[in-house]
Amino acid sequence: MPPSKRFICIHGHFYQPPRENPWLETVETQDTAAPYHDWNERICAECYATNGAARIVNGKNQITSIVNNYSRISFNFGPTLLSWLKENAPRSYRMILDGEHASCKHFRGHSSAMAQVYNHMILPLASPRDRVTQIRWGIGDYQHHFGHPPEGMWLPETAVDTATLKLMAEHGIKFTILAPHQCKRIRPLKEPVPAAPAAETAAPAASGWTDTPDATVDTTRPYLLRFASGASITVFFYNGPTSRAIAFEGLLNSGEDFAARLKAGFEDGAQPQLAHVATDGESYGHHHKYGDMALAYTLSLLDRDKTVKLTNYASFLDQFPPEYECEVADNTSWSCVHGVERWRSNCGCNGGKSGWNQVWRAPLRQALDALRDALVPLTEQEGARLFRDVWSARDSYIDVVLDRSLESIERFFAAHQGHVLTEEERVRALELMEMQRHAQLMYTSCGWFFDDISGIETVQIIAYAARVLQLAQQLFGGQASALEPAFLARLEEAKSNVASAGDGAAIYKKCVRSMELNLEQVAAHYAISSVFTSFAEETELFCYRVRRISHEIHTSGRARLALGCAHIASAITGRQQSFSFAVLHFGDQNITAAVRAYLPEDARAFEAFSAEAAAHVQRADFPEVIRLIDRFYGHADYSLTSLFSDEQRRIVQLILNSTLWDIESSLATIYQDHASLLHYLSQAGLPKPPALALAATFAVNAGLRRTLETDPVDQAQLHSYLSLAKADQVPLETATLSYIADLRMKRAMVELQMAAGSLEILENALSLARTLSELPFELNLWQAQNIWYEILRTSTDARTALQVENRTRWEKDFAELGACLSIDTKSIRAEEESRAAAAD
């Protein structure tokens, strides 16, 4: 076959389930992701970021090239994940956009990025109305990020039916990707599509069909799916065996093997062929360490191979339209051999926990379906008072989700309000839309995917349902009173495999209700935090805006009394209210707080209360202060546990710091006093007393942490602690120490980038790099290496401006800095010179 007709495409489906707290719109700390804040952050560091700046290395493990994998592969990002990246990992987000932009140049003007159904809902199990919203939100999200309409769309879990494909085609989607076993039959594109009754979804069967059982479809060609309406969509069926080898069989262990396996995917014949694979994008770095590097090396091999060409689906489709048509096997997916049963029944597909069942899946879906359906007439009734067409408004609401600015909200209301809405009506309208948004999020597929209803993914979708119920109660009052009892009655039938978890209703009451918030609780959080944090007059707390009306703190010894008023407004719905508060802190974790609604006419009474309370604090009469608070507020319901999770951790850490310092000092003293004995025991090979070993481990690791955090790093002290660790066989906390070292090096490189041309800052960065290179454990200097590369590419003018002797010194030190960061500086410079010459 001529080389011009042999094409290769690698697709990565990059996705994480939405993890945001439904009341705070932020991902809270997940301890299992440590030392990272949460799993999004960890997987970003291991995969999403690294694929934007993937390394190709030489035999000495030195970097010879840094490439953006997204520019050469096909990919899609889950919309909720991409929004998280934009907000929380802007550098990685920028690399994704840069890769997409470059792909258009590489592949004949066609983007490598595909859209995705919005929040990973299994569309064959969704209502017709929800399918439309999911597709429209996915398209809207794609256009928001990439600036143009998508050509392709990824289906979550490749779960498909003909009705879904018809909707995608009618929305302008040109192609999708499915697993080979999802093809039902094929035939050459010769006969016209006969007319079909309006009720039919696909064109009726005709002669010439060939069945494709057991994934026997030829995956090297595209197939057209035609509908009687005249709409059509192309389907690419990926190479199943090679995709499985990438995901599960270690093919990423060798770039040469990966490239060879892809090239072996062509069939005999002279027609244009596409050898292509599709896996979770997380295979490239998260599931398989260094998978991003394997992918980069494979792409470089294929780029240099004259017998094949890299492409993406849209470019291939544009050059070689389908010559065959197909029908798909309805209600199938790539991750359930039973079709789509994994998301509604105890089919046997699970995470492999022996002896467990997934009978809970059915009542969970039934509970959500019943809630969704019960909301339809209520939504239409309320929506008729507010919107021209409430469902059309919901389909357009993605524009507000992606841009919460006042201008965006104004555009939304201008397009959809039934009349000029009052402020209260606008709040209700936004709450109605938010209720419907969370009614979409509660169907995120991961809630059914794993072993038990008590898992974090399932608790997450139940939390979305709880937010739906809360908003329904606010909007519909008594009409919604039966929704929660009916929902819980169905959840009671969803029995957990974990005895202590009970059932879905128990999980809801134990794990989800405690997450629920209202404006008063936000005010309580602000009030307690104000004892430890100096807030600006206007500040943002997660998805709430806070305006300080008044605030004062009175102290006596260790005790403090905070008194004030604040105005709280939801940045999502606009609902707002003012509150007064009193917080009494006796030191450590001993905090009590009271909050109540505040109106302008309450000002005089609150001022009198504040003056009297302050006077009692000055006299250290705290029993009377407590009585005053009880009389004015009626109760003091809030404490340190009332804080939102991350802020609670921060404040507890502040409280603990002095205590921890005392403990560290004591353990360090114990270790220093008995260090010679510990040295003797280590050298003699004698067992060390556990208490002494504990003191040594704590003291040495704490010393290393403090040394690495000190600016500049004391090299002699660092060597001293490392020598002690080696001599006394002290296990190092390598994960934590590496994380600290990585951040230190990144900060030093950021300073250098901001002051390119400064020899002093370069010397500081080089000194730190020399020191860190001596650490006896692996460092992930990925971010520092990227910045070195960026400085090389972008700071030419600053270096040129230096005097000759300084420029020579800069070049020498900068090269050494690169070497300390494991960069083959000669190869990198040669590549850059070649790239610049090609651009000219």
Side-chain angles (χ1 to χ4, degrees):
M1 186 192 307
S4 61
K5 293 188 177 181
R6 292 164 61 98
F7 294 86
I8 290 176
C9 180
I10 301 169
H11 183 82
H13 164 53
F14 296 92
Y15 165 74
Q16 289 300 304
R19 294 187 166 98
E20 285 79 4
N21 178 311
W23 288 269
L24 298 177
E25 299 291 339
T26 192
V27 181
E28 297 183 288
T29 299
Q30 296 175 307
D31 292 326
T32 54
Y36 296 93
H37 177 271
D38 54 73
W39 278 103
N40 281 6
E41 185 179 290
R42 177 169 177 170
I43 297 171
C44 178
E46 295 172 349
C47 178
Y48 311 136
T50 56
N51 276 287
R55 277 72 169 128
I56 297 175
V57 298
N58 59 22
K60 298 178 181 178
N61 204 33
Q62 295 173 317
I63 298 168
T64 61
S65 184
I66 297 178
V67 296
N68 189 325
N69 284 344
Y70 299 116
S71 69
R72 293 290 189 179
I73 66 171
S74 169
F75 65 91
N76 74 279
F77 268 84
T80 54
L81 171 61
L82 198 55
S83 291
W84 181 91
L85 287 166
K86 182 180 181 180
E87 180 71 22
N88 298 279
R91 184 182 289 266
S92 301
Y93 175 77
R94 185 73 255 166
M95 290 191 290
I96 295 166
L97 298 193
D98 290 345
E100 186 273 339
H101 182 71
S103 74
C104 295
K105 296 181 180 179
H106 293 323
F107 302 128
R108 302 166 57 93
H110 294 280
S111 171
S112 285
M114 293 173 60
Q116 181 199 287
V117 168
Y118 185 69
N119 64 270
H120 224 258
M121 185 185 291
I122 302 300
L123 289 200
L125 299 180
S127 70
R129 183 181 288 115
D130 284 356
R131 295 188 199 203
V132 170
T133 297
Q134 286 285 310
I135 291 170
R136 291 181 180 175
W137 283 16
I139 292 171
D141 181 89
Y142 181 97
Q143 291 179 301
H144 174 80
H145 294 289
F146 298 112
H148 57 84
E151 295 189 75
M153 176 170 275
W154 179 268
L155 286 167
E157 307 293 342
T158 73
V160 73
D161 62 1
T162 307
T164 295
L165 292 176
K166 180 173 183 286
L167 278 174
M168 290 166 63
E170 290 171 348
H171 281 82
I173 299 299
K174 295 179 180 179
F175 69 89
T176 193
I177 308 168
L178 297 178
H181 70 265
Q182 294 180 274
C183 183
K184 180 181 179 182
R185 57 183 185 173
I186 64 171
R187 69 174 179 182
L189 264 175
K190 294 179 179 178
E191 301 182 28
V193 182
E200 289 187 334
T201 304
S207 60
W209 288 103
T210 299
D211 291 339
T212 55
D214 304 319
T216 53
V217 65
D218 178 0
T219 62
T220 65
R221 62 169 78 242
Y223 298 87
L224 193 67
L225 186 61
R226 299 186 290 174
F227 306 96
S229 64
S232 64
I233 189 169
T234 297
V235 180
F236 291 91
F237 297 101
Y238 64 77
N239 184 309
T242 303
S243 298
R244 283 193 295 275
I246 294 168
F248 305 114
E249 298 168 12
L251 185 56
L252 295 179
N253 292 337
S254 165
E256 289 89 351
D257 290 348
F258 188 9
R261 182 70 176 268
L262 291 168
K263 290 172 62 179
F266 296 105
E267 301 286 341
D268 293 332
Q271 77 278 4
Q273 293 186 39
L274 179 67
H276 60 110
V277 292
T279 65
D280 285 338
E282 290 75 19
S283 295
Y284 303 110
H286 173 57
H287 298 320
H288 301 282
K289 193 173 183 179
Y290 307 125
D292 53 304
M293 296 173 65
L295 176 59
Y297 185 55
T298 299
L299 292 170
S300 72
L301 292 176
L302 295 173
D303 250 339
R304 298 195 299 268
D305 193 322
K306 302 303 182 183
T307 68
V308 297
K309 287 186 177 180
L310 287 170
T311 190
N312 61 30
Y313 291 106
S315 181
F316 186 87
L317 180 60
D318 183 45
Q319 297 174 75
F320 309 107
E323 297 178 351
Y324 281 72
E325 66 179 319
C326 73
E327 289 182 355
V328 299
D330 283 348
N331 296 321
T332 56
S333 67
W334 76 347
S335 51
C336 177
V337 297
H338 312 94
V340 293
E341 296 305 308
R342 187 168 193 157
W343 299 277
R344 66 178 174 187
S345 73
N346 182 31
C347 68
C349 293
N350 52 50
K353 190 77 171 181
S354 178
W356 283 18
N357 67 70
Q358 286 72 49
V359 175
W360 54 268
R361 287 174 178 162
L364 173 61
R365 181 163 288 277
Q366 290 161 8
L368 295 176
D369 285 349
L371 175 58
R372 175 199 64 199
D373 294 344
L375 291 173
V376 170
L378 296 173
T379 297
E380 292 179 342
Q381 178 183 334
E382 181 67 15
R385 302 187 184 103
L386 303 166
F387 297 106
R388 298 189 190 112
D389 180 334
V390 69
W391 302 116
S392 176
R394 185 180 80 165
D395 290 343
S396 297
Y397 188 62
I398 184 62
D399 295 332
V400 176
V401 173
L402 294 167
D403 178 5
R404 299 281 185 181
S405 69
L406 182 59
E407 293 78 12
S408 174
I409 293 172
E410 290 295 342
R411 286 193 299 270
F412 172 74
F413 281 126
H416 296 284
Q417 63 188 352
H419 60 275
V420 178
L421 302 181
T422 66
E423 284 301 314
E424 178 58 28
E425 285 176 324
R426 287 163 69 101
V427 169
R428 292 181 65 80
L430 290 172
E431 287 178 339
L432 188 65
M433 291 295 98
E434 281 299 303
M435 183 190 73
Q436 284 295 326
R437 179 171 74 94
H438 285 85
Q440 298 293 299
L441 293 171
M442 71 185 186
Y443 280 106
T444 301
S445 68
C446 303
W448 288 268
F449 194 84
F450 298 103
D451 287 337
D452 195 64
I453 192 171
S454 62
I456 58 174
E457 297 83 5
T458 313
V459 172
Q460 182 73 27
I461 68 168
I462 294 174
Y464 288 131
R467 179 62 173 149
V468 170
L469 288 165
Q470 183 190 46
L471 287 166
Q473 187 63 45
Q474 290 175 199
L475 284 162
F476 311 130
Q479 290 179 289
S481 60
L483 293 179
E484 186 179 58
F487 182 70
L488 292 178
R490 290 184 174 90
L491 282 187
E492 283 180 358
E493 300 172 20
K495 306 299 181 185
S496 172
N497 294 284
V498 180
S500 59
D503 54 44
I507 291 167
Y508 179 96
K509 295 171 184 175
K510 179 181 179 181
C511 302
V512 174
R513 272 192 178 153
S514 60
M515 297 168 64
E516 292 186 16
L517 294 176
N518 55 36
L519 292 180
E520 181 180 303
Q521 289 164 303
V522 177
H525 173 95
Y526 172 80
I528 295 171
S529 296
S530 73
V531 175
F532 303 91
T533 304
S534 179
F535 288 114
E537 184 174 342
E538 293 187 0
T539 190
E540 291 187 0
L541 285 177
F542 303 100
C543 60
Y544 298 91
R545 299 189 182 101
V546 182
R547 177 172 55 83
R548 185 178 65 220
I549 299 172
S550 66
H551 187 265
E552 55 188 34
I553 291 182
H554 305 277
T555 63
S556 178
R558 293 187 65 196
R560 289 182 287 179
L561 174 67
L563 300 167
C565 302
H567 185 75
I568 314 293
S570 168
I572 305 297
T573 67
R575 186 164 293 281
Q576 54 192 307
Q577 191 174 1
S578 295
F579 298 89
S580 71
F581 57 83
V583 184
L584 189 57
H585 179 215
F586 288 110
D588 293 338
Q589 80 283 6
N590 302 303
I591 297 174
T592 185
V595 177
R596 80 176 194 186
Y598 175 82
L599 298 172
E601 53 265 33
D602 299 329
R604 184 170 297 178
F606 181 72
E607 289 172 5
F609 157 75
S610 298
E612 188 174 358
H616 286 295
V617 169
Q618 295 304 313
R619 294 194 292 270
D621 187 358
F622 290 104
E624 187 56 35
V625 173
I626 294 171
R627 282 191 287 271
L628 269 175
I629 293 173
D630 286 341
R631 284 200 300 270
F632 189 79
Y633 287 94
H635 48 77
D637 294 334
Y638 299 102
S639 65
L640 191 60
T641 59
S642 306
L643 289 169
F644 307 151
S645 176
D646 282 10
E647 183 71 358
Q648 184 180 133
R649 288 167 179 258
R650 185 186 72 83
I651 289 176
V652 167
Q653 188 61 49
L654 288 175
I655 293 170
L656 285 173
N657 278 341
S658 60
T659 302
L660 289 175
W661 180 258
D662 291 342
I663 294 171
E664 284 186 14
S665 298
S666 298
L667 287 171
T669 299
I670 292 170
Y671 172 63
Q672 291 163 6
D673 289 348
H674 302 284
S676 60
L677 175 58
L678 189 62
H679 299 337
Y680 168 75
L681 293 174
S682 297
Q683 292 169 2
L686 297 173
K688 295 181 280 290
L692 194 55
L694 173 65
T697 299
F698 195 93
V700 170
N701 280 286
L704 283 170
R705 284 197 307 273
R706 285 196 298 272
T707 302
L708 288 172
E709 289 168 348
T710 302
D711 192 12
V713 172
D714 187 328
Q715 192 168 0
Q717 191 174 53
L718 186 72
H719 286 158
S720 174
Y721 280 119
L722 291 174
S723 297
L724 288 172
K726 184 177 181 180
D728 296 337
Q729 301 169 18
V730 173
L732 296 179
E733 297 170 358
T734 55
T736 300
L737 294 173
S738 175
Y739 187 72
I740 295 170
D742 300 343
L743 291 178
R744 278 303 315 275
M745 195 67 240
K746 176 191 172 183
R747 287 200 299 270
M749 293 304 294
V750 168
E751 289 176 9
L752 180 60
Q753 187 176 35
M754 297 297 290
S758 168
L759 290 171
E760 180 183 355
I761 295 178
L762 174 58
E763 179 59 36
N764 292 341
L766 177 57
S767 176
L768 177 62
R770 287 169 178 159
T771 301
L772 297 184
S773 66
E774 299 177 21
L775 291 174
F777 46 79
E778 183 179 4
L779 297 177
N780 177 14
L781 297 173
W782 182 84
Q783 296 184 88
Q785 292 161 346
N786 286 350
I787 298 171
W788 185 94
Y789 187 53
E790 290 176 11
I791 294 172
L792 174 68
R793 298 184 67 183
T794 61
S795 64
T796 305
D797 292 343
R799 298 198 305 272
T800 304
L802 294 171
Q803 295 180 353
V804 174
E805 61 273 18
N806 288 339
R807 192 186 317 150
T808 302
R809 179 183 162 195
W810 167 279
E811 297 293 349
K812 176 178 175 295
D813 287 355
F814 189 67
E816 184 185 349
L817 174 60
C820 289
L821 296 175
S822 300
I823 295 172
D824 182 345
T825 58
K826 290 184 178 179
S827 295
I828 287 281
R829 285 181 182 275
E831 181 184 61
E832 278 307 300
E833 290 169 3
S834 174
R835 189 174 298 171
D840 292 340

